[in-house]
């Protein structure tokens, strides 16, 4: 595991070159939470209700905005207001995967207006370097209006689904591109820390600190019938996760608020054990 993983969120925030990663660590430290809730609901009312109820206990809310049946201006204004009210970031799990010209339009000024409200986005590098370059270029443009609010991207380097092909050379390329576009790429969606990956195209450099989000975290289930494989907060953080992503284990729970509190507690306990806190 990278030595960065043994540093506290505060220590990493104080040194981090990426402004949004710095803000993310500060949110986590302030709220004592490394929980990202995957809010896979299908109406604006459900999404905003969930965000409001769980907001005090999470660091990030992760959306699949295109599964909403009624996406509208209310969705955008509501999410932004709750983000400020409860001090959490918004991660749109769009998984951009197309040529550069197309993803620029999907991200900025497209129907879903993702750049307007999502602090964090992600992409797959299956199309090649151009997708990362295009999205980084969009966010760095002089006329991009949301830079001051903080925008960043995670590269989908690994997946938790059974039989995932996001392995080997694909994962290595993800790290290569992250190093090349680190002003916009803040880290990875992966099952482990990837900072020590070395390839013929890139090697770790001093000050490098990629944030790791790990999906498929569930305290009460080991998987589903569609190939999802779960792990606990303890095992995820132990492998290098900085932020744990839990979906059905929270929003499908009998009491989602109590579930969020439990994940917050377990995730924070695992983090403290990793950094030697108490």
């Amino acid at each position: 595991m990278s030595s960065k993983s043994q540093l506290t969120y505060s220590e990493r925030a104080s040194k981090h070159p990426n402004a949004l990663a710095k803000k993310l660590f500060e949110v986590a430290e302030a709220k004592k939470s490394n929980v990202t809730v995957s809010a896979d609901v299908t109406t604006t009312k459900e999404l905003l209700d969930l965000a409001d109820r769980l907001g005090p206990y999470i660091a990030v809310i992760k959306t699949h905005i295109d599964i909403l049946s009624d996406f509208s201006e209310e969705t955008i204004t509501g999410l932004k207001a709750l983000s400020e009210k409860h001090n959490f970031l918004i991660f749109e799990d769009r998984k951009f995967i197309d040529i550069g010209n197309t993803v620029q339009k999907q991200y900025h000024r497209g129907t879903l207006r993702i750049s307007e409200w999502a602090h964090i986005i992600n992409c797959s590098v299956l199309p090649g370097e151009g997708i990362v370059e295009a999205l980084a270029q969009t966010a760095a443009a002089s006329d991009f209006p949301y830079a001051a609010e903080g925008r960043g991207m995670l590269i989908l380097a690994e997946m938790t689904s059974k039989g995932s092909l996001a392995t080997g050379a694909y994962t290595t390329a993800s790290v290569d591109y992250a190093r090349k576009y680190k002003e916009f790429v803040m880290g990875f969606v992966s099952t482990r820390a990837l900072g020590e990956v070395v390839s013929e195209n890139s090697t770790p450099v001093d000050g490098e600190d990629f944030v790791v989000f790990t999906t498929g975290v569930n305290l009460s289930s080991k998987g589903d019938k569609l190939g999802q494989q779960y792990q606990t907060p303890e095992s995820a953080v132990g492998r290098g996760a900085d932020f744990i992503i839990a979906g059905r284990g929270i929003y499908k729970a009998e009491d989602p608020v109590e579930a969020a509190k439990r994940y917050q507690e377990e995730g924070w306990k695992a983090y403290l054990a990793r950094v030697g806190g108490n």
Side-chain angles (χ1 to χ4, degrees):
M1 191 191 304
S2 167
S3 61
K4 291 291 181 184
S5 297
Q6 275 77 52
L7 297 178
T8 67
Y9 292 141
S10 291
E11 289 169 333
R12 293 170 72 181
S14 69
K15 302 174 183 178
H16 212 289
N18 184 293
L20 188 61
K22 177 183 176 71
K23 181 177 181 180
L24 176 61
F25 284 133
E26 289 172 345
V27 167
E29 191 71 59
K31 301 180 75 173
K32 290 185 167 45
S33 178
N34 53 20
V35 175
T36 296
V37 64
S38 186
D40 300 332
V41 292
T42 56
T43 68
T44 293
K45 183 180 185 303
E46 289 176 294
L47 176 60
L48 298 184
D49 177 64
L50 203 61
D52 199 15
R53 293 169 66 202
L54 305 186
Y57 315 106
I58 63 174
V60 181
I61 190 167
K62 183 172 78 69
T63 58
H64 283 291
I65 211 66
D66 56 358
I67 70 174
L68 291 184
S69 60
D70 59 351
F71 174 80
S72 66
E73 184 71 33
E74 180 189 358
T75 314
I76 295 174
T77 56
L79 273 177
K80 291 177 72 173
L82 290 170
S83 168
E84 293 181 13
K85 175 183 176 181
H86 295 300
N87 190 28
F88 60 74
L89 300 188
I90 306 167
F91 169 16
E92 166 51 22
D93 191 2
R94 178 63 177 78
K95 297 184 181 73
F96 292 102
I97 179 172
D98 214 313
I99 62 170
N101 183 60
T102 298
V103 297
Q104 285 182 324
K105 294 171 182 175
Q106 291 172 325
Y107 175 49
H108 188 47
R109 299 196 177 98
T111 302
L112 300 175
R113 295 157 58 186
I114 294 170
S115 63
E116 184 177 335
W117 51 269
H119 301 97
I120 306 167
I121 57 170
N122 63 348
C123 81
S124 164
V125 299
L126 193 61
E129 182 179 345
I131 187 172
V132 184
E133 180 181 14
L135 290 165
Q137 186 182 90
T138 299
S142 59
D143 62 347
F144 184 72
Y146 312 114
E149 298 176 26
R151 295 291 182 266
M153 183 166 75
L154 302 169
I155 292 179
L156 182 66
E158 296 178 323
M159 295 187 71
T160 54
S161 49
K162 186 177 181 180
S164 168
L165 302 180
T167 60
Y170 171 90
T171 301
T172 299
S174 298
V175 178
D176 290 340
Y177 300 150
R179 288 181 175 137
K180 186 169 182 180
Y181 298 95
K182 58 183 178 292
E183 291 78 13
F184 187 54
V185 178
M186 56 193 288
F188 307 102
V189 176
S190 62
T191 63
R192 59 198 166 102
L194 298 173
E196 294 175 357
V197 170
V198 177
S199 76
E200 60 184 29
N201 297 313
S202 72
T203 56
V205 298
D206 288 342
E208 182 175 276
D209 183 5
F210 291 117
V211 185
V212 175
F213 280 68
T214 295
T215 62
V217 176
N218 194 305
L219 284 165
S220 58
S221 174
K222 295 189 181 300
D224 66 13
K225 295 179 181 179
L226 297 176
Q228 175 64 294
Q229 302 175 112
Y230 289 127
Q231 58 181 318
T232 65
E234 182 181 17
S235 62
V237 173
R239 285 170 58 87
D242 297 310
F243 293 88
I244 55 174
I245 302 176
R248 282 168 280 185
I250 294 179
Y251 75 85
K252 285 283 192 182
E254 186 174 337
D255 186 335
V257 172
E258 286 304 313
K261 290 179 180 179
R262 186 179 172 208
Y263 278 80
Q264 178 190 19
E265 180 181 345
E266 293 297 321
W268 196 254
K269 185 195 302 181
Y271 155 72
L272 290 178
R274 191 177 78 187
V275 300
N278 49 51

